[in-house]
């Protein structure tokens, strides 16, 4: 195998165990090498500039900022880079948002190792990757005539705030976790309530549960 055939991968995930597990899986594929890694969004943006990678594995839930936010910044600087989102969340929660933001594919962390390798090779070749289940869901949606769900009108940060509030977290806890001010999170909450025509956090939580936006 020539150097040109080698796929250089960068891993951005805040869990060291996950990064090590991914490296072990990829080490079994002779055409893939891990050329860099980061544990948060700032380091990911900083180090990806030097790594000269073909594919970035990006966790959607980083400690300092959302993976989708990092995705947009990375794609702005490196439009040719194929970014494959990894997440603990179900595909129907974040996959569409990720693809719209520029991701080349989306995988849940429960996916089989073989699927991860297949996805990396596919996006490295310039193609998109989604699971068979998500592909079927997208195909079905194209044939339906229905209004856009209210939560699809939210910005990425508003949507993230929605899911965190619905999961029982306070505005203060969310602000601390996202490294933002309480005032900023309160503004996100106010905006999403207006957009979704809801009155309070209780109605928001009910909506999130009804629409399966949280586990």
């Amino acid at each position: 195998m020539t150097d040109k055939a080698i796929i250089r991968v960068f891993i951005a995930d805040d869990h060291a165990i996950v990064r090590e597990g991914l490296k072990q899986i990829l080490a079994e594929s002779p055409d893939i090498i891990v050329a860099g890694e980061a544990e948060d969004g700032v380091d990911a943006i900083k180090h990806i500039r030097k790594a000269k990678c073909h594919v970035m594995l990006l966790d959607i839930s980083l400690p300092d900022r959302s993976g989708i936010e990092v995705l947009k910044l990375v794609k702005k600087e490196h439009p040719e880079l194929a970014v494959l989102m990894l997440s603990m969340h179900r595909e129907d929660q974040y996959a569409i948002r990720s693809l719209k933001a520029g991701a080349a594919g989306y995988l849940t962390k429960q996916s089989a190792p073989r699927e991860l390798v297949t996805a990396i090779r596919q996006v490295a070749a310039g193609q998109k990757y989604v699971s068979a289940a998500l592909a079927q869901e997208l195909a079905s949606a194209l044939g339906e005539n229905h209004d856009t769900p209210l939560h699809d009108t939210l910005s990425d940060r508003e949507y993230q705030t929605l899911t965190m509030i619905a999961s029982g977290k306070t505005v203060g806890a969310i602000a601390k976790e996202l490294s933002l001010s309480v005032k900023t999170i309160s503004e996100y909450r106010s905006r999403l309530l207006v957009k979704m025509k809801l009155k309070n956090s209780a109605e928001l939580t009910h909506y999130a549960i009804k629409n399966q936006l949280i586990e």
Side-chain angles (χ1 to χ4, degrees), residues 7-21:
I7 301 172
R8 294 172 59 85
V9 174
F10 187 96
I11 301 173
D13 193 293
D14 60 320
H15 295 98
I17 293 177
V18 173
R19 295 198 304 274
E20 288 305 312

Side-chain angles (χ1 to χ4, degrees), residues 3 42 49 64 159 196:
D3 289 340
V42 172
R49 294 169 181 154
D64 55 342
Y159 182 81
M196 297 181 65

Side-chain angles (χ1 to χ4, degrees), residues 39-117:
E39 62 182 4
D40 59 41
V42 172
D43 277 347
I45 294 169
K46 177 181 177 181
H47 295 304
I48 195 66
R49 294 169 181 154
K50 304 175 183 178
K52 297 181 180 179
C53 291
H54 306 104
V55 176
M56 181 181 197
L57 299 182
L58 177 59
D59 185 4
I60 206 163
S61 301
L62 294 172
D64 55 342
R65 58 183 64 188
S66 75
I68 291 182
E69 185 180 349
V70 175
L71 165 66
K72 290 178 178 178
L73 292 171
V74 167
K75 290 297 290 185
K76 187 174 181 180
E77 283 194 35
H78 311 280
E80 76 291 344
L81 180 66
V83 181
L84 184 60
M85 304 301 288
L86 294 178
S87 175
M88 292 297 294
H89 303 286
R90 299 192 315 271
E91 291 174 316
D92 57 339
Q93 292 183 338
Y94 280 102
I96 302 302
R97 286 180 175 272
S98 298
L99 294 170
K100 286 182 177 179
Y106 184 100
L107 270 182
T108 63
K109 290 183 179 179
Q110 292 86 357
S111 300
R114 183 179 300 176
E115 187 175 4
L116 171 64
V117 173

Side-chain angles (χ1 to χ4, degrees), residues 22 66 72 117 135 140-141 144 149 165 170 176 178:
L22 291 171
S66 75
K72 290 178 178 178
V117 173
S140 297
E144 296 176 358
I165 290 176
T170 64
K176 184 176 181 180
L178 300 181

Side-chain angles (χ1 to χ4, degrees), residues 161 164-165 168-187 189 201:
T161 301
M164 295 178 82
I165 290 176
K169 296 181 180 179
T170 64
V171 168
I174 295 171
K176 184 176 181 180
E177 185 171 335
L178 300 181
S179 299
L180 296 171
S181 69
V182 171
K183 180 180 179 181
T184 297
I185 299 302
S186 295
E187 289 176 353
R189 177 183 176 277
S201 295

